[in-house]
Amino acid sequence: QKEVEQNSGPLSVPEGAIASLNCTYSDRGSQSFFWYRQYSGKSPELIMSIYSNGDKEDGRFTAQLNKASQYVSLLIRDSQPSDSATYLCAVKGGSTLGRLYFGRGTQLTVWP
Amino acid sequence: DTAVSQTPKYLVTQMGNDKSIKCEQNLGHDTMYWYKQDSKKFLKIMFSYNNKELIINETVPNRFSPKSPDKAHLNLHINSLELGDSAVYFCASSPLAGASYEQYFGPGTRLTVT
């Protein structure tokens, strides 16, 4: 059973702070890692993908991957109220073409 | 410039009925998926097709039958609808070339069974 675990939250941070979202996964053969943002009543939107150990930055978002620890995180700098959403971690397993395993999501609230 | 589209957006129907949801993508992707998101927001894969061929079939009641007439379309037909089928159903697509596997989701179909 391949599992992806996230803190369900809710995580609440003030505007301007750094929000840190964490995810662990069980399949050591996992190769590709994704963060999706889902606003209430909307579909998941891909915001970051990371494939190798280390950090990947895109604007205010930084994804961090540590395959040895089976850990992936998302940092949101200068958090804005518009970042309030549920963040889903998804992991591509080592087998089964194209299959992603999703965590249950972390609900983030950024208050002004 | 809709990338992944689904119809209908909302579907309200009674138990026992049969209904279909349609999905189309114009991204040129090879692979398409159906997901179910329940009231607790857990996103669970149901089916995946790669270039019209079924490659993922999770433990889903056989009342659910996907059909892919071509690689740009993946439809979902549900027979004998039950109360527990009420959920949001998302279609998604992804390329496989280059091992990207990034999946892009449609807007969802909210199914309510009464």
Side-chain angles (χ1 to χ4, degrees):
Chain A
Q1 179 77 10
K2 297 178 175 64
E3 294 184 350
V4 177
E5 300 284 344
Q6 296 181 251
N7 291 331
S8 61
L11 175 64
S12 182
V13 301
E15 184 174 357
I18 296 175
S20 178
L21 305 162
N22 304 317
C23 174
T24 59
Y25 58 95
S26 63
D27 182 7
R28 283 198 170 274
S30 298
Q31 302 165 352
S32 308
F33 307 85
F34 308 94
W35 283 99
Y36 285 82
R37 177 177 61 200
Q38 187 174 24
Y39 292 114
S40 181
K42 299 295 186 182
S43 59
E45 174 193 8
L46 179 66
I47 55 172
M48 289 288 284
S49 56
I50 186 166
Y51 303 98
S52 54
N53 281 329
D55 295 359
K56 179 182 178 182
E57 188 174 315
D58 184 1
R60 296 185 296 112
F61 298 97
T62 299
Q64 298 175 318
L65 174 61
N66 184 328
K67 289 186 180 180
S69 301
Q70 295 174 241
Y71 175 89
V72 58
S73 67
L74 179 70
L75 300 178
I76 306 175
R77 290 183 302 282
D78 188 24
S79 294
Q80 301 296 310
S82 59
D83 294 327
S84 298
T86 296
Y87 289 80
L88 302 169
C89 174
V91 176
K92 164 68 176 67
S95 60
T96 312
L97 200 63
R99 197 206 198 286
L100 295 186
Y101 294 85
F102 281 84
R104 289 183 174 270
T106 298
Q107 186 179 341
L108 172 67
T109 299
V110 181
W111 45 276
Chain B
D1 268 46
T2 306
V4 183
S5 59
Q6 293 178 231
T7 54
K9 190 168 183 178
Y10 299 98
L11 192 50
V12 180
T13 188
Q14 292 184 326
M15 286 175 56
N17 285 346
D18 303 339
K19 290 293 179 186
S20 292
I21 307 171
K22 294 186 176 181
C23 179
E24 177 180 0
Q25 55 95 3
N26 62 8
L27 297 168
H29 289 167
D30 298 304
T31 309
M32 296 183 72
Y33 311 81
W34 278 112
Y35 286 88
K36 178 181 180 180
Q37 189 170 47
D38 59 26
S39 57
K40 295 186 178 179
K41 307 301 183 187
F42 183 50
L43 200 59
K44 184 175 179 182
I45 192 165
M46 301 173 69
F47 303 102
S48 175
Y49 272 74
N50 180 46
N51 203 7
K52 301 193 296 176
E53 180 184 345
L54 181 67
I55 57 171
I56 297 174
N57 185 351
E58 290 292 292
T59 308
V60 176
N62 57 16
R63 298 182 294 104
F64 291 78
S65 53
K67 279 195 174 70
S68 182
D70 55 61
K71 75 172 193 175
H73 296 84
L74 179 61
N75 304 322
L76 183 65
H77 187 76
I78 316 170
N79 289 325
S80 304
L81 278 154
E82 301 178 356
L83 292 176
D85 298 331
S86 295
V88 181
Y89 292 84
F90 288 105
C91 176
S93 72
S94 72
L96 289 185
S100 168
Y101 304 117
E102 295 179 350
Q103 292 185 16
Y104 297 88
F105 284 78
T109 296
R110 182 174 293 277
L111 172 65
T112 304
V113 182
T114 62

